[in-house]
Amino acid sequence: MRLIGSLTSPYVRKVRIVLAEKKLDYELVLDDPWSSNTQTTAYNPLGKVPCLILDENEALFDSRVIVEYLDTLSPVGRLIPPPGRERVAVKRWEATADGIMDAAAAAFMETHRRPEPQRSADWVKRQTAKIHAALDYMNGLLGEQPYCTGVNLCLADIAVGAALGYLDLRSPDLNWRAHHANLARLAEKLDARPSFVSTRPPAA
C-alpha cells in the first residue's frame, strides 16, 4: 500500500497512527495537494490527502474511510467496535475530533494562506469558537476515564490525539491544556506511544 499525504496534515497523521498500531506495512509518498504538480488529484478527484493506494491501484480517500478499511486488514489491536452502540460512540468521538481539525485548518488557511486584504476576522472567530466548544464537550465526556470510551485505546483516542496535536502545531496560542485537564492527561499518555512519536509533525 502507498499513502499519499503530507507530514503536517492531521488527517494523514490519524491514518499513519492507525497503520502503526495495526502493524501494517506501507510506503509514505509525500505530496503537497496545493502544488500545481500535485499527484493527489490523479487518485482523488477532491484533491485532498490522505489517499491510500491499494495493490491493485485502487484508491481510497477521506481518513474516515481509510481507517475503517485498515481496521479490517488485521485482527491486531482492533480499533473500531462491531456495529452497534459502542461503534457509534467511537465514531462520534472521531467526528468531533475531525471537526476540530476542520476548524483549525480553516482558521490557519484564512490567516496564513489568504491574501491579507481578503482575510475575515469574523470567520476565524467562528472557527475558534467551534474548537473551544468541541474541546469543552470532549473534556467533559472523557471525565476520569483512561481512554475516550473506557479502558482500551481505540480509534476515538487516535482521532482526538491527532486533533490535539494539530492544535499544538497550528494554534499554539489557544493554550487548550489550561482549561481541559482531562484532555491534557489523555494527550500526555498518547504522545508517549511509539505510533504518536513516529508520526509527530515537524515544528511549524
Side-chain angles (χ1 to χ4, degrees):
M1 295 184 294
R2 288 179 294 144
L3 179 66
I4 300 176
S6 72
L7 296 178
T8 56
S9 165
Y11 311 99
V12 173
R13 189 184 186 201
K14 179 172 69 170
V15 172
R16 292 176 67 204
I17 293 170
V18 168
L19 283 159
E21 291 287 344
K22 301 288 291 185
K23 304 185 186 308
L24 296 168
D25 293 328
Y26 72 102
E27 175 191 357
L28 177 62
V29 180
L30 296 180
D31 188 46
D32 179 5
W34 295 95
S35 168
S36 59
N37 298 321
T38 180
Q39 60 179 299
T40 303
T41 50
Y43 299 100
N44 179 359
L46 300 176
K48 296 180 178 181
V49 293
C51 187
L52 185 70
I53 313 302
L54 307 181
D55 291 340
E56 55 272 23
N57 223 34
E58 179 184 2
L60 299 180
F61 41 86
D62 190 288
S63 65
R64 286 167 290 192
V65 174
I66 295 173
V67 298
E68 185 101 16
Y69 169 73
L70 293 175
D71 200 40
T72 69
L73 296 184
S74 168
V76 174
R78 292 306 294 262
L79 299 170
I80 306 174
R85 194 162 187 171
E86 290 183 7
R87 183 189 187 91
V88 170
V90 169
K91 299 301 284 186
R92 178 178 60 180
W93 274 100
E94 184 185 21
T96 308
D98 280 8
I100 288 178
M101 299 179 198
D102 293 344
F108 178 80
M109 295 299 294
E110 185 71 16
T111 56
H112 292 82
R113 297 288 179 88
R114 186 181 293 273
E116 188 169 358
Q118 300 175 20
R119 295 174 189 171
S120 169
D122 286 341
W123 174 255
V124 174
K125 184 177 179 180
R126 179 178 176 84
Q127 303 311 314
T128 303
K130 292 179 183 180
I131 294 171
H132 284 304
L135 289 171
D136 290 344
Y137 171 75
M138 294 195 307
N139 192 69
L141 193 60
L142 177 60
E144 299 299 321
Q145 296 182 125
Y147 292 102
C148 291
T149 61
V151 298
N152 297 313
L153 178 88
C154 70
L155 177 61
D157 305 286
I158 292 172
V160 171
L164 297 177
Y166 190 64
L167 291 182
D168 288 338
L169 178 69
R170 296 302 197 201
S171 307
D173 292 344
L174 286 179
N175 192 23
W176 62 266
R177 288 174 177 80
H179 302 289
H180 304 96
N182 297 333
L183 289 176
R185 171 177 44 81
L186 175 64
E188 182 178 7
K189 180 163 40 181
L190 294 173
D191 285 343
R193 296 181 71 90
S195 60
F196 277 78
V197 173
S198 65
T199 60
R200 190 169 292 147

